[in-house]
């Protein structure tokens, strides 16, 4: 503030100075002297929130990894995931739930998750099916990678009946890679109908998904279970089999 040459104008000059930007900034700086600014406080809170979120995500991934390991265990020993009753107090929850419950006795983190989680436990049949679908997609990608390196590929198609007496078609891919023969499970599928047209259409759809741009490498095909076909194109099983390798 400039020196006062006329004392009569002191009040006017003072009021004008109090409204100036420089004065207001100095007043705010003085009031915050020795304290952390609001901006820094908000930044610190945001950082802690992100850190807490990352810790939670890491724990959830660890839990999910253990649940996937239990599913792998059941798959390796070809045991069904679900039993007759999957309630928490069931005496027959199935191999998967029994395995998860046993693992929780050895892992305090998994036990705490199962006892306290109200949103995602990861053991419901819906989650089991979603995990299996994800694993199949990853496995199909591995198959596609191997087929891109292989010179030729053959497909085997068969049918099986589940416990509900629903007919399911199974596809198996066979190829040679680096001098070694590989047989890869393509998946279980349920065609819209059991006629020759319906089954062939579904096989072609699944091969398009798996083979993609490598369809020209398909040189052999084997079919079985043709005795279940319906319609004018139905033929006996023996006439429909073709073992080309």
């Amino acid at each position: 503030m400039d020196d006062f040459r006329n004392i009569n104008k002191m009040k006017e000059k003072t009021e004008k100075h109090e409204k100036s930007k420089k004065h207001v900034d100095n007043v705010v700086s003085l009031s915050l002297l020795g304290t952390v600014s609001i901006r820094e406080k908000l930044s610190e809170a945001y950082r802690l929130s992100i850190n807490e979120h990352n810790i939670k995500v890491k724990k959830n991934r660890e839990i999910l990894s253990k649940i996937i390991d239990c599913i792998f265990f059941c798959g390796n020993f070809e045991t069904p995931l679900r039993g007759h009753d999957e309630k928490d107090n069931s005496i027959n929850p199935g191999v998967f739930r029994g395995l998860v419950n046993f693992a929780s006795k050895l892992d305090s983190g998994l036990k705490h998750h199962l006892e306290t989680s109200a949103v995602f436990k990861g053991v419901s049949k819906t989650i089991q099916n979603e995990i299996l679908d994800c694993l199949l997609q990853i496995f199909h990608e591995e198959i596609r990678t191997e087929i891109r390196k292989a010179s030729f590929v053959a497909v085997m198609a068969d049918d099986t009946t589940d416990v509900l007496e629903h007919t399911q078609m199974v596809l198996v891919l066979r190829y040679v890679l680096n001098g070694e023969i590989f047989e890869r499970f393509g998946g279980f599928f349920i065609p819209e109908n059991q006629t020759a047209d319906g089954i062939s259409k579904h096989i072609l759809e699944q091969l398009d998904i798996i083979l993609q741009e490598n369809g020209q490498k398909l040189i052999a095909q084997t079919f079985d279970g043709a005795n279940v076909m319906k319609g004018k194109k139905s033929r006996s099983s023996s006439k429909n089999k073709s073992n080309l390798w």
Side-chain angles (χ1 to χ4, degrees), residues 7-44:
I7 195 66
N8 294 327
K9 293 185 178 181
M10 180 176 181
K11 182 176 182 299
E12 178 185 346
K13 292 288 187 179
T14 302
E15 291 177 350
K16 181 179 179 181
H17 174 74
E18 289 176 346
K19 296 177 182 179
S20 66
K21 182 178 182 302
K22 185 176 181 180
H23 178 77
V24 172
D25 290 342
N26 289 335
V27 170
V28 172
S29 299
L30 179 62
S31 64
L32 295 176
L33 184 63
T35 63
V36 180
S37 69
I38 296 176
R39 181 180 301 174
E40 291 177 354
K41 283 286 188 182
L42 292 175
S43 178
E44 178 66 12

Side-chain angles (χ1 to χ4, degrees), residues 73-86:
F73 178 90
C74 294
N76 288 334
F77 289 92
E78 299 183 358
T79 58
L81 294 181
R82 293 192 279 275
H84 298 294
D85 183 3
E86 291 199 323

Side-chain angles (χ1 to χ4, degrees), residues 35-84:
T35 63
V36 180
S37 69
I38 296 176
R39 181 180 301 174
E40 291 177 354
K41 283 286 188 182
L42 292 175
S43 178
E44 178 66 12
Y46 178 74
R47 187 189 66 80
L48 292 175
S49 175
I50 292 296
N51 186 54
E52 182 179 352
H53 173 76
N54 290 338
I55 292 175
K56 189 183 227 180
V57 168
K58 183 179 179 181
K59 287 183 178 179
N60 287 339
R61 285 179 176 175
E62 291 174 353
I63 295 297
L64 187 59
S65 176
K66 294 167 185 175
I67 292 173
I68 292 175
D69 287 340
C70 291
I71 292 179
F72 269 128
F73 178 90
C74 294
N76 288 334
F77 289 92
E78 299 183 358
T79 58
L81 294 181
R82 293 192 279 275
H84 298 294

Side-chain angles (χ1 to χ4, degrees), residues 71-222:
I71 292 179
F72 269 128
F73 178 90
C74 294
N76 288 334
F77 289 92
E78 299 183 358
T79 58
L81 294 181
R82 293 192 279 275
H84 298 294
D85 183 3
E86 291 199 323
K87 296 178 182 177
D88 292 336
N89 59 352
S90 172
I91 61 175
N92 182 25
V95 178
F96 170 73
R97 287 297 299 269
L99 183 61
V100 171
N101 293 338
F102 176 73
S104 67
K105 296 179 181 180
L106 307 176
D107 190 308
S108 59
L110 179 59
K111 180 179 180 181
H112 178 75
H113 170 79
L114 294 176
E115 292 177 348
T116 61
S117 178
V119 179
F120 172 76
K121 285 190 177 182
V123 295
S124 69
K125 63 180 181 180
T126 301
I127 296 299
Q128 293 174 32
N129 291 337
E130 288 180 352
I131 291 175
L132 289 173
D133 287 339
C134 291
L135 292 176
L136 182 61
Q137 291 178 21
I138 295 173
F139 187 58
H140 279 173
E141 185 57 40
E142 291 292 326
I143 293 177
R144 283 191 283 268
T145 300
E146 291 179 345
I147 289 177
R148 281 194 290 268
K149 298 177 183 178
S151 299
F152 305 103
V153 61
V155 61
M156 296 180 285
D158 202 347
D159 70 304
T160 184
T161 304
D162 60 18
V163 294
L164 297 177
E165 298 185 355
H166 293 158
T167 299
Q168 298 184 85
M169 182 179 67
V170 59
L171 289 180
V172 176
L173 297 163
R174 182 179 171 98
Y175 46 86
V176 177
L177 187 62
N178 298 326
E180 183 179 356
I181 298 176
F182 288 88
E183 285 189 357
R184 299 300 193 196
F185 171 71
F188 288 111
F189 311 99
I190 302 178
E192 294 180 0
N193 59 72
Q194 297 300 314
T195 64
D197 286 337
I199 292 176
S200 60
K201 177 183 177 182
H202 204 74
I203 291 175
L204 291 173
E205 289 175 351
Q206 296 304 321
L207 288 178
D208 284 340
I209 295 174
I210 299 174
L211 297 179
Q212 292 186 347
E213 72 278 5
N214 296 291
Q216 75 280 0
K217 293 184 178 182
L218 182 63
I219 63 167
Q221 49 191 318
T222 296

